[in-house]
């Protein structure tokens, strides 16, 4: 029997456990506890600025200037750092997308079953909002050319935009954290209720913060930041055109690859409902900052670099980079699709060739195909793709390779956290699984 409560919640009474502690205490810490959480909350926003100040018109890194020249010319004044007007635009952009999320007519999708027995319904609108948005930007560019004032404005206000995103990320995390103490006692994330304010604010205390029909976590995960990333990249291409009168092959590749990644995530939006972020992580600063600041501003570093330091790859260079991207994408997409197909319908005849083990939870774990090579071959594919995004910047700087370094750390940490969750979920069956599939990410190596 299914009952809807008008807030996008569906409860299946038959399967709801009898007694559930919606606000159970967290046992054990990730990220080395409150100290680690505090450190990441200070270091990560600083790195976002550092990448801007450490890679700009004065060099990447800015070795052309002495330290005193650097301080004189690069350290910004308050007005260069912050603009109330730009903050207003950023807030309007996010609220505009949120408004579209709750108003666009879409078929809602059910998320995984929560420990309360309910399944939340989600309005997945990223593709429906992205396509018209991109259409409007393409139309503007077609009419006004790459000199369109919107592109120039984005380039000129990059630092203001970054600061605005930082402020919104911080404020949103605080708002959601405070709201999680409301008297109606919402469902809390298993890992985000340690009782330590800094840790819980960072990891995320509430599992599914919502305002009416808007699921704030899912909306932020795939909405404003990912779209912002693609828009920033286009502004960087426009800047390159304005400076050298053409757009280089490397810039075209970066734009296509990353646009494709964004589009692919939107196209496969239902798959986000089974990711760790939606299923088990709360919505705290780690994700508000990650989604709204880190993704758009640091993932687009290569495009910003090429806008200032054009690189021509030539036919061989383009072919090499396409090959890396092709291999990475093939592994990433096939591995993700294989698991999604298996989780959606384990008895699908197309998956008959795959071997699996049965677990006491009733769920099966694949032990052949992509998921038999390593426990996260999809991460490996994603990381290989990351190389294809860095290589077009050439070998004149190491700064643009920041992404593959950071991403390796993120994926290793993510794999460890997922391993912890699965051990709790599957108990001894997980040990059995890991004794069969020994590699964590890179088959036979790690
Ligand atoms: N670009 C970026 O910054 C980021 C990209 N990503 C990408 O997002 C994608 C999704 O990643 P993520 O959500 O972390 O993790 P996965 O898609 O790898 O999903 C992990 C879950 O899959 C299930 N699972 C694990 N092993 C098996 C198995 N053998 N058979 C069947 N199911 C299994 C488990 O959940 P259960 O058993 O409950 O179904 C586990 O919790 C990845 O491709 C990743 O690269 C992720 C983070 C950041
Ligand atoms: C430095 C710091 C505090 C980082 C926080 C980590 C975040 C940048 C990432 C955590 C999980 C993410 C996911 C994606 C982007 C990066 C963050 C926000 C994702 C939206 C990328 C596209 C994928 O297809 C995805 C939808 C599966 C993925 C979800 C997780």
């Amino acid at each position: 029997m299914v009952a809807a409560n008008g807030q996008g919640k569906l409860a299946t009474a038959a399967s709801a456990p009898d007694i559930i502690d919606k606000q159970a205490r967290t046992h054990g810490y990730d990220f080395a506890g409150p100290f680690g959480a505090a450190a990441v909350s200070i270091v990560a926003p600083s790195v976002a600025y550092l990448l801007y100040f450490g890679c700009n018109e004065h060099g990447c890194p800015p070795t052309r200037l002495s330290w005193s020249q650097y301080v004189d010319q690069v350290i910004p004044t308050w007005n260069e750092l912050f603009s109330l007007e730009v903050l207003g635009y950023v807030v309007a952009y996010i609220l505009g997308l949120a408004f579209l999320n709750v108003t666009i007519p879409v078929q809602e999708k059910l998320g995984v079953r929560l420990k309360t027995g309910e399944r939340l319904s989600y309005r997945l609108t990223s593709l429906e909002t992205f396509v018209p948005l991109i259409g409007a930007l393409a139309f503007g560019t077609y009419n006004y050319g790459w000199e369109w004032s919107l592109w120039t404005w984005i380039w000129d206000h990059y630092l203001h935009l970054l600061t605005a995103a930082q402020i919104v990320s911080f404020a949103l995390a605080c708002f959601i954290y405070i709201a999680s103490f409301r008297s109606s006692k919402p469902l809390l994330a298993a890992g985000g209720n340690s009782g330590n304010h800094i840790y819980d604010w960072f990891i995320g205390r509430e599992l599914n913060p919502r305002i009416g029909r808007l699921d704030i976590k899912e909306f932020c995960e795939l909405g404003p930041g990912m779209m912002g990333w693609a828009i920033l990249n286009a502004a960087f291409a426009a800047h390159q055109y304005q400076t050298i009168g053409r757009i280089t092959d490397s810039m075209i590749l970066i734009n296509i690859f990353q646009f494709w990644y964004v589009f692919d995530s939107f196209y496969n939006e239902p798959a986000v409902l089974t990711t760790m972020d939606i299923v088990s992580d709360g919505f705290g600063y780690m994700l508000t900052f990650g989604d709204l600041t880190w993704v758009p501003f640091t993932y687009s570093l290569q495009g910003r670099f090429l806008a200032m330091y054009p690189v021509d790859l030539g036919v061989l260079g383009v072919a090499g980079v396409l090959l890396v991207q092709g291999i990475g994408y093939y592994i990433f997409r096939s591995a993700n699709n294989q698991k999604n197909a298996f989780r959606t319908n384990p008895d699908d005849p197309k998956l008959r060739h795959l071997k699996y083990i049965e677990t006491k939870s009733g769920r099966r774990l694949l032990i052949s195909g992509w998921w038999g090579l390593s426990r996260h071959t999809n991460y490996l594919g994603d990381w290989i793709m990351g190389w294809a995004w860095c290589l077009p910047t050439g070998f004149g700087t190491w700064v643009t390779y920041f992404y593959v370094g950071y991403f390796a750390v993120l994926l290793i940490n993510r794999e460890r956290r997922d391993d912890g969750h699965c051990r709790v979920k599957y108990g001894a069956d997980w040990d059995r699984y890991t004794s069969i599939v020994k590699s964590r990410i890179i088959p036979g190596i790690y």
Side-chain angles (χ1 to χ4, degrees), residues 261 299 339 343 363 376 379 382 414 418 425-426:
Y261 192 78
Y299 285 26
K339 189 199 58 182
R343 279 285 174 254
R363 286 160 85 82
H376 284 278
Y379 287 3
D382 210 343
R414 204 173 164 86
D418 190 51
K425 233 180 318 184
Y426 295 114

Side-chain angles (χ1 to χ4, degrees), residues 83-96 153 157 161 164:
S83 152
L84 191 59
E85 188 191 349
V86 174
L87 176 63
Y89 285 128
V90 169
V91 171
Y93 162 74
I94 296 174
L95 290 181
W153 185 89
H157 289 279
L161 289 165

Side-chain angles (χ1 to χ4, degrees), residues 22-88:
K22 285 165 72 182
Q23 307 221 324
R25 276 283 173 197
T26 298
H27 299 289
Y29 284 131
D30 281 328
F31 290 95
F35 180 77
V40 177
S41 307
I42 293 167
V43 171
S46 312
V47 169
Y49 278 122
L50 210 66
L51 289 175
Y52 175 73
F53 292 113
C55 184
N56 51 35
E57 279 95 345
H58 302 288
C60 184
T63 42
R64 292 178 197 163
L65 301 177
S66 68
W67 177 245
S68 59
Q69 284 172 320
Y70 183 81
V71 172
D72 278 352
Q73 296 181 29
V74 184
I75 301 295
T77 61
W78 172 248
N79 286 337
E80 285 164 345
L81 191 67
F82 172 75
S83 152
L84 191 59
E85 188 191 349
V86 174
L87 176 63

Side-chain angles (χ1 to χ4, degrees), residues 40 44 221-222 226 261 265 272 275 277 286-287 289-291 294-295 299 332 406 410 414:
V40 177
E221 190 85 342
L222 280 187
M226 295 280 279
Y261 192 78
S265 303
V272 84
T275 59
D277 313 61
M286 179 179 77
L287 282 182
F289 171 78
D291 291 337
W294 188 258
V295 167
Y299 285 26
F332 166 79
Y406 138 79
L410 176 126
R414 204 173 164 86

Side-chain angles (χ1 to χ4, degrees), residues 24-28 115 188-194 204-205 207 280-282 421:
R25 276 283 173 197
T26 298
H27 299 289
K115 70 173 182 183
L188 302 184
N193 187 26
S194 68
R205 192 165 180 269
L207 185 60
S280 37
D281 284 345
H421 292 150

Side-chain angles (χ1 to χ4, degrees), residues 72-285:
D72 278 352
Q73 296 181 29
V74 184
I75 301 295
T77 61
W78 172 248
N79 286 337
E80 285 164 345
L81 191 67
F82 172 75
S83 152
L84 191 59
E85 188 191 349
V86 174
L87 176 63
Y89 285 128
V90 169
V91 171
Y93 162 74
I94 296 174
L95 290 181
L97 291 176
F99 176 75
L100 290 176
N101 178 283
V102 290
T103 51
I104 286 180
V106 277
Q107 215 192 345
E108 303 194 1
K109 285 265 183 313
L110 288 182
V112 300
R113 193 170 299 287
L114 302 172
K115 70 173 182 183
T116 54
E118 330 170 278
R119 291 179 73 185
L120 298 179
S121 74
Y122 288 84
R123 299 179 53 77
L124 306 183
T125 56
S126 58
L127 207 54
E128 285 78 359
T129 29
F130 189 54
V131 171
L133 180 65
I134 289 302
L137 294 176
F139 183 71
T141 310
Y142 178 75
N143 268 330
Y144 304 109
W146 286 109
E147 293 85 2
W148 187 17
S149 55
L150 177 80
W151 299 131
T152 321
W153 185 89
I154 293 178
W155 178 267
D156 292 344
H157 289 279
Y158 181 88
L159 192 52
H160 288 154
L161 289 165
L162 171 58
T163 304
Q166 300 257 24
I167 292 172
V168 172
S169 308
F170 184 81
L172 183 60
C174 295
F175 168 73
I176 287 174
Y177 182 64
I178 294 167
S180 74
F181 289 95
R182 64 189 178 276
S183 54
S184 59
K185 295 205 181 297
L187 177 62
L188 302 184
N193 187 26
S194 68
N196 180 290
H197 290 304
I198 293 184
Y199 184 80
D200 294 348
W201 166 83
F202 174 79
I203 287 286
R205 192 165 180 269
E206 185 167 346
L207 185 60
N208 307 110
R210 291 187 158 207
I211 298 179
R213 303 203 287 178
L214 179 74
D215 186 280
I216 308 175
K217 182 167 62 165
E218 200 283 327
F219 165 72
C220 286
E221 190 85 342
L222 280 187
M226 295 280 279
M227 294 185 201
W229 175 17
I231 296 171
L232 282 175
N233 272 346
F236 299 150
H239 183 79
Q240 192 184 64
Y241 185 85
Q242 290 169 18
T243 348
I244 61 167
R246 67 192 174 91
I247 299 179
T248 58
D249 49 12
S250 53
M251 179 64 99
I252 294 173
L253 285 185
I254 293 277
N255 262 271
I256 294 178
F257 291 166
Q258 300 190 344
F259 181 89
W260 181 250
Y261 192 78
V262 170
F263 187 85
D264 179 85
S265 303
F266 293 171
Y267 184 77
N268 294 294
E269 191 171 5
V272 84
L273 300 183
T274 56
T275 59
M276 184 163 83
D277 313 61
I278 300 294
V279 176
S280 37
D281 284 345
F283 193 48
Y285 185 64

